[in-house]
Amino acid sequence: RALLWLGPVYLAGYLGLSGSWVLLGLALWLCWGHNRRWKRDRLAAAFALLEDEREAVCRGLAARQLPAWVHFPDVERVEWLNKVLVQAWPYFGTIMEKTFKEVVEPKIRAKNVHLKTCTFTKIHFGEKCPRINGIKAYTKEIDRRQVILDLQICYIGDCEIHMDISKFNLGVKGVQLYGTLRVILEPLLTDAPFIGAVTLFFLQKPHLEINWAGMSNLLDVPGINVMSDSLIQDFIAARLVLPNRITVPLKKNMNIAHLRFPIPRGVIRVHLLEAENLVQKDSFLGAIRGKSDPYALLRVGTVQYRSKTVSRDLNPIWNETFEFVVHEVPGQDLEVDLYDEDPDKDDFMGSLLISLVDVMNDRTVDEWFPLSKTTSGHLHLKLEWLSLVNDQEKLHEDKKGLSTAILIVYLDSAFNLPKNHFEYSNGECGAKKIKNNKYLKKTEREPSSFVLLTVGNKTQKSKTCNFSKDPTWGQAFTFFVHSAHSQSLHVEIKDKDRDTALGTSVICLSHLLKDPNMTLDQRFQLDHSSSDSFIKMKLVLRALNVEEPDPQRVQAGVSASKQGPVCVAEKGGNQQKFASPPKPEASKVPPVSKDSAALDSLPKKDSREDLDPNDSSAAPVPSETAAGLNETKREQNAEHQPPSVLHTRAAVVPTLPVVQELRLAPSVTSLGSLPSSCFELSSSNLELQNGTEMPLGEIQLTVRYASIRQSLVVLVNGCRNLVPSSNRGVDPYVRIYLLPDRRWTSRKKTSVKKKTLNPQYDEKFEFFESLEDVKKRTLDIAVKNSRPFISQERKELGKVRIDLSQEDLIKGFAQW
């Protein structure tokens, strides 16, 4: 063993190699050992949880390890079924051992000449059987002739499977699998066996961990382990995760085509608008916090899109649109993850999980959603539910370039494909071009074919059917269509081994419009192929329709954001964790500090004491006014917003006193037209000690543009009537940004005045920008308290923003 350890070191020195190679090898070995220990520890912890679930719950383990029935009352325990599985597991293991030997092993040997020596030396499925942690049965909003069950599957197995290939031992020793398996029993029949077919699929990619054995341990090497795990999960997803399904007929002569490939439930259109108050991930020298470069990952099922990256901005604006096909509701959710893009590894900035059931019911949701798993941050999304309708009038081309229809392609099979691209009916065989016997043998065997389907600039690929002139694929594909009258479906059948085309076909989507149901189910003649070569497909075209929201329905609002139940509070979380999903509070209204003209139609009252929040006789605000408040672009910076403030629309339309409690500050877009020269520091995003909302004081500014120096001059004169943040007094100073530039190096800051609520500064600052650029910018001014480093006092005392595009900067202005 000592020689084995020192051998690489001696060899490197003997060959004159750099010592860096030895260090690199040592680092890889250490990382490999760490990954191995990490997997073994996780497997041991999972076994401990499996042995005594009650004790694990009492110890307060993390919520992700707890079964769903602990938190959700509609998920039921099925311990009786788990006991049945325990009794039947040894017999199932015997059946699987026989299957591996008699079915799997011959198939592996036939795959490749190098696998002819494959032999299973040990097959043991262990003593630990799969568990069902809970079952949820759906009884509402489903067909009366079906039963839908969601099974929380948990398999922590001590199985051992070893195989030898050319004297190399490969194997698996321990598996962990977690996922939600949906079982659909349909149609229900009036005669035996009472159920026509069973459909199985996973709603999301299941979590899978494999503890390798033998030479397979090399898959735990850093870099390779991530790739191998993702390949295995993709292999499972391609067969068992939506939209892929396994349908098993239970009754003879049952047509299961419509069960295997049902028409999707709808389309969700996601408008990723903006975010605010994101956490700072980038740092300089590990201490000075900088900006972040945020981007978003959006997922529905196995489909994922990535937004553009906004550089150096904690309040990014994307204004991007994404569309997802939704196959199962309830069941599928919209997942949004925010990351900070870095050269090495991207940092996680928060996530969001939105129930598509609420979006489908509300049809349109426009909300600021609080991010979870982070300390701060809100995300602004507009979600539209598009239903699929058989109406040709809805197929007009969208002016914004959005999709107007969806094409569903059911790829069935092909007939009489040529063996190669030379085999045509005109007798022009290219045999003379074949120069060696090896290629001749390839051309003589049956083709291994796959299909490329293209609509517009999107191409999808089918699975490969090996060695068959009459392949059967049995797959479904969906495409978004922008113009059904002009677009076409391009079909190309190719041979995997020779990468040659065996036939093509072009179907104009306008042909579908001639059918009342916008459906074609037939064989299509293949071009550039034999005269008797066909491909069988079913094409279904459906228009996308945005329905108007039901005025009688109470909008779900922030309840669409699913709060994962957690029994232990996570450190630094942005949201409170409860044993069940929290309900939105109607009294929480999004803070708005925009044009006060939005409230001109509301009656004014002299003082806040005249407003009774509990007054049930107050008339509700007209929907136009409430919408105006919410649609305006917010100008409040939420850098120091407390977690309790939700930047979302209210779950219910607010009553008049609630809206008046907002106490909107004067519009900063019309400073020159204000009758009074008073700027109140905004208080909508601060928690006051006395629990009230009131003006936080005033700041006097002088702003003008110096043409000779080509700079914007800002003179901070002073503040008055500031609100103290603690009993010991405040040490105020003023911070200035010229938005959208929020770099730490471009920040301007006054001196600190000790223990005063009416500080005088008389300090001048300059921003060297052209007048045209300055007119496009916004002046962001905040009054802050210079508090001790570890103090819990409030840092921000107030803030104003001035839109410089509305001001005469050459003349300048000076006002409070």
Side-chain angles (χ1 to χ4, degrees):
R1 178 172 294 185
L3 290 176
L4 184 63
W5 281 95
L6 297 176
V9 181
Y10 174 79
L11 186 62
Y14 180 78
L15 297 177
L17 300 178
S18 171
S20 304
W21 291 101
V22 178
L23 295 178
L24 179 61
L26 181 62
L28 286 175
W29 182 81
L30 291 175
C31 292
W32 173 81
H34 176 269
N35 284 345
R36 295 287 302 154
R37 289 191 299 272
W38 176 75
K39 279 194 173 183
R40 284 196 295 265
D41 292 343
R42 285 182 60 85
L43 189 62
F47 276 133
L49 175 62
L50 187 65
E51 291 294 339
D52 195 342
E53 189 178 45
R54 182 180 297 276
E55 182 182 357
V57 173
C58 295
R59 289 180 180 177
L61 293 179
R64 63 180 179 272
Q65 295 176 316
L66 297 182
W69 58 264
V70 176
H71 315 289
F72 303 106
D74 54 350
V75 177
E76 303 172 13
R77 296 190 67 178
V78 283
E79 287 304 312
W80 63 271
L81 183 56
N82 290 322
K83 293 177 181 178
V84 173
L85 290 176
V86 170
Q87 291 294 101
W89 183 248
Y91 303 95
F92 174 80
T94 303
I95 296 174
M96 291 303 298
E97 290 175 15
K98 184 178 180 180
T99 303
F100 269 72
K101 278 288 187 182
E102 298 179 358
V103 179
V104 178
E105 188 176 291
K107 285 189 175 182
I108 294 177
R109 289 181 175 181
K111 282 285 184 181
N112 194 293
V113 65
H114 301 291
L115 300 177
K116 286 186 176 181
T117 59
C118 172
T119 304
F120 284 99
T121 57
K122 183 177 182 180
I123 302 175
H124 178 58
F125 278 82
E127 305 297 329
K128 310 296 182 183
C129 70
R131 280 183 53 85
I132 300 177
N133 286 334
I135 290 183
K136 181 176 181 179
Y138 292 90
T139 57
K140 298 180 180 179
E141 299 181 354
I142 63 172
D143 193 343
R144 292 290 300 271
R145 295 190 63 191
Q146 67 177 189
V147 175
I148 298 180
L149 303 174
D150 282 350
L151 279 64
Q152 310 288 336
I153 300 294
C154 169
Y155 176 48
I156 306 166
D158 55 348
C159 62
E160 282 193 62
I161 301 176
H162 294 268
M163 62 187 298
D164 285 342
I165 301 178
S166 300
K167 298 183 180 180
F168 291 103
N169 180 263
L170 309 175
V172 173
K173 189 177 181 180
V175 174
Q176 293 189 63
L177 176 68
Y178 305 94
T180 301
L181 180 69
R182 172 157 291 189
V183 180
I184 302 179
L185 310 176
E186 65 173 335
L188 301 181
L189 307 175
T190 56
D191 55 343
F194 306 110
I195 297 173
V198 178
T199 301
L200 306 171
F201 55 86
F202 282 99
L203 293 172
Q204 306 287 347
K205 279 186 180 181
H207 173 76
L208 177 67
E209 283 189 19
I210 299 177
N211 192 26
W212 301 103
M215 291 293 293
S216 306
N217 279 329
L218 295 176
L219 295 178
D220 285 332
V221 173
I224 299 179
N225 62 336
V226 177
M227 183 176 62
S228 62
D229 291 347
S230 62
L231 286 176
I232 295 173
Q233 290 189 354
D234 291 341
F235 179 82
I236 296 175
R239 288 158 177 79
L240 285 173
V241 180
L242 269 179
N244 306 292
R245 304 163 184 250
I246 294 179
T247 302
V248 181
L250 301 181
K251 187 175 181 179
K252 293 182 179 180
N253 302 324
M254 171 64 66
N255 183 13
I256 61 173
H258 68 286
L259 301 179
R260 293 185 62 194
F261 311 115
I263 293 180
R265 295 294 302 274
V267 171
I268 181 73
R269 181 175 290 162
V270 182
H271 300 274
L272 178 65
L273 301 179
E274 56 185 322
E276 67 172 10
N277 197 24
L278 299 180
V279 293
Q280 297 173 334
K281 288 295 183 179
D282 293 338
S283 60
F284 304 98
L285 303 177
I288 304 175
R289 307 298 292 180
K291 298 293 181 180
S292 297
D293 307 317
Y295 68 90
L297 292 179
L298 301 95
R299 283 186 305 277
V300 173
T302 57
V303 180
Q304 175 174 291
Y305 293 111
R306 171 173 171 164
S307 72
K308 63 184 180 183
T309 301
V310 181
S311 300
R312 303 184 61 80
D313 198 345
L314 297 179
N315 300 281
I317 298 177
W318 289 286
N319 288 330
E320 294 185 80
T321 302
F322 306 94
E323 294 173 325
F324 298 90
V325 178
V326 181
H327 296 273
E328 286 290 325
V329 175
Q332 289 189 289
D333 300 317
L334 171 64
E335 303 173 65
V336 184
D337 293 330
L338 295 186
Y339 288 92
D340 169 32
E341 186 176 59
D342 286 323
D344 48 358
K345 182 181 179 181
D346 296 345
D347 298 319
F348 178 74
M349 302 181 69
S351 64
L352 187 62
L353 187 65
I354 297 178
S355 170
L356 295 184
V357 176
D358 296 325
V359 180
M360 181 182 68
N361 294 332
D362 291 344
R363 293 154 188 177
T364 300
V365 176
D366 192 347
E367 298 284 348
W368 280 91
F369 294 97
L371 296 174
S372 61
K373 302 178 183 178
T374 184
T375 55
S376 65
H378 290 77
L379 186 63
H380 188 188
L381 298 176
K382 181 181 179 182
L383 310 174
E384 294 178 313
W385 178 264
L386 309 177
S387 55
L388 307 184
V389 296
N390 185 11
D391 187 357
Q392 297 189 16
E393 296 180 358
K394 303 288 186 180
L395 293 177
H396 56 82
E397 189 169 351
D398 191 272
K399 296 180 180 180
K400 298 181 180 179
L402 300 175
S403 303
T404 58
I406 183 175
L407 175 66
I408 307 163
V409 181
Y410 300 101
L411 179 63
D412 188 354
S413 56
F415 307 93
N416 298 320
L417 293 180
K419 291 182 180 179
N420 54 74
H421 67 293
F422 300 118
E423 186 185 316
Y424 292 141
S425 59
N426 56 10
E428 295 180 2
C429 178
K432 60 183 180 180
K433 300 179 182 179
I434 304 174
K435 297 182 180 180
N436 53 54
N437 293 331
K438 183 178 180 181
Y439 188 78
L440 184 61
K441 291 180 180 179
K442 286 187 176 181
T443 57
E444 289 177 350
R445 69 188 183 196
E446 303 293 336
S448 298
S449 55
F450 63 91
V451 182
L452 295 179
L453 303 165
T454 304
V455 174
N457 58 0
K458 183 177 181 180
T459 300
Q460 298 190 52
K461 179 180 176 181
S462 73
K463 65 182 180 181
T464 301
C465 290
N466 293 316
F467 313 124
S468 175
K469 293 188 67 175
D470 302 316
T472 300
W473 293 284
Q475 288 182 274
F477 304 90
T478 56
F479 296 90
F480 287 106
V481 178
H482 300 277
S483 176
H485 297 86
S486 60
Q487 288 186 280
S488 301
L489 170 66
H490 295 260
V491 181
E492 183 179 15
I493 304 178
K494 303 192 76 173
D495 189 347
K496 179 191 69 172
D497 294 329
R498 295 178 288 275
D499 197 25
T500 55
L502 302 177
T504 61
S505 180
V506 179
I507 300 103
C508 295
L509 300 186
S510 57
H511 294 165
L512 290 162
L513 303 179
K514 300 176 182 178
D515 186 85
N517 295 324
M518 294 193 290
T519 302
L520 286 179
D521 188 1
Q522 65 184 54
R523 293 184 179 185
F524 297 90
Q525 172 73 48
L526 288 174
D527 300 326
H528 305 97
S529 188
S530 302
S531 59
D532 57 347
S533 297
F534 296 89
I535 184 171
K536 184 180 180 181
M537 296 185 297
K538 181 179 180 181
L539 310 180
V540 179
L541 187 67
R542 290 292 180 264
L544 301 181
N545 181 42
V546 182
E547 300 179 8
E548 294 296 327
D550 186 1
Q552 302 296 327
R553 175 179 167 81
V554 178
Q555 298 295 313
V558 297
S559 66
S561 177
K562 299 176 68 176
Q563 311 279 339
V566 176
C567 64
V568 180
E570 297 182 7
K571 183 177 180 181
N574 188 32
Q575 298 170 330
Q576 285 185 326
K577 311 297 182 182
F578 299 93
S580 60
K583 303 294 182 182
E585 296 184 16
S587 61
K588 291 187 176 180
V589 183
V592 183
S593 61
K594 192 60 178 168
D595 200 341
S596 59
L599 296 181
D600 287 345
S601 61
L602 301 178
K604 300 290 190 299
K605 292 193 178 184
D606 294 334
S607 64
R608 286 178 44 81
E609 287 73 21
D610 296 332
L611 299 177
D612 183 9
N614 300 320
D615 186 6
S616 59
S617 63
V621 178
S623 59
E624 294 83 359
T625 304
L629 291 175
N630 289 324
E631 291 296 336
T632 53
K633 181 181 177 183
R634 297 209 318 273
E635 295 182 349
Q636 287 295 328
N637 187 332
E639 282 185 3
H640 304 282
Q641 175 183 347
S644 61
V645 181
L646 289 180
H647 282 235
T648 57
R649 278 179 175 75
V652 227
V653 177
T655 57
L656 174 61
V658 175
V659 175
Q660 286 184 336
E661 275 188 327
L662 291 178
R663 192 68 175 175
L664 296 186
S667 169
V668 295
T669 63
S670 57
L671 296 177
S673 61
L674 286 177
S676 64
S677 59
C678 172
F679 293 139
E680 293 180 353
L681 296 179
S682 169
S683 62
S684 62
N685 67 335
L686 295 172
E687 290 181 335
L688 301 182
Q689 290 181 345
N690 55 6
T692 63
E693 295 182 3
M694 54 180 291
L696 299 181
E698 297 170 328
I699 184 170
Q700 187 182 37
L701 302 172
T702 301
V703 182
R704 66 181 180 86
Y705 188 79
S707 302
I708 299 178
R709 295 177 53 82
Q710 292 287 301
S711 66
L712 178 69
V713 180
V714 180
L715 177 63
V716 181
N717 303 105
C719 302
R720 66 186 181 190
N721 302 326
L722 298 179
V723 176
S725 60
S726 66
N727 295 329
R728 71 173 190 87
V730 295
D731 303 329
Y733 67 92
V734 180
R735 185 269 298 144
I736 305 175
Y737 280 126
L738 188 60
L739 300 182
D741 188 0
R742 287 180 168 276
R743 290 177 299 171
W744 182 73
T745 55
S746 62
R747 181 185 66 165
K748 308 296 183 182
K749 175 183 172 182
T750 67
S751 59
V752 178
K753 303 298 180 181
K754 297 290 185 180
K755 301 296 184 294
T756 177
L757 299 177
N758 300 279
Q760 292 295 320
Y761 298 102
D762 296 326
E763 297 184 35
K764 183 177 71 173
F765 303 96
E766 289 187 89
F767 296 89
F768 292 93
E769 302 282 350
S770 65
L771 181 60
E772 291 76 13
D773 291 339
V774 170
K775 294 287 284 185
K776 301 175 184 178
R777 311 289 277 274
T778 300
L779 205 58
D780 180 41
I781 301 168
V783 182
K784 298 193 174 186
N785 176 27
S786 180
R787 58 194 175 97
F789 177 70
I790 59 174
S791 174
Q792 298 297 320
E793 299 174 9
R794 192 178 74 246
K795 184 176 182 180
E796 188 169 301
L797 302 179
K799 178 181 298 186
V800 292
R801 285 192 182 180
I802 303 174
D803 188 354
L804 298 178
S805 64
Q806 306 296 323
E807 302 298 334
D808 184 358
L809 298 178
I810 300 297
K811 182 179 178 181
F813 62 90
Q815 51 191 353
W816 283 92

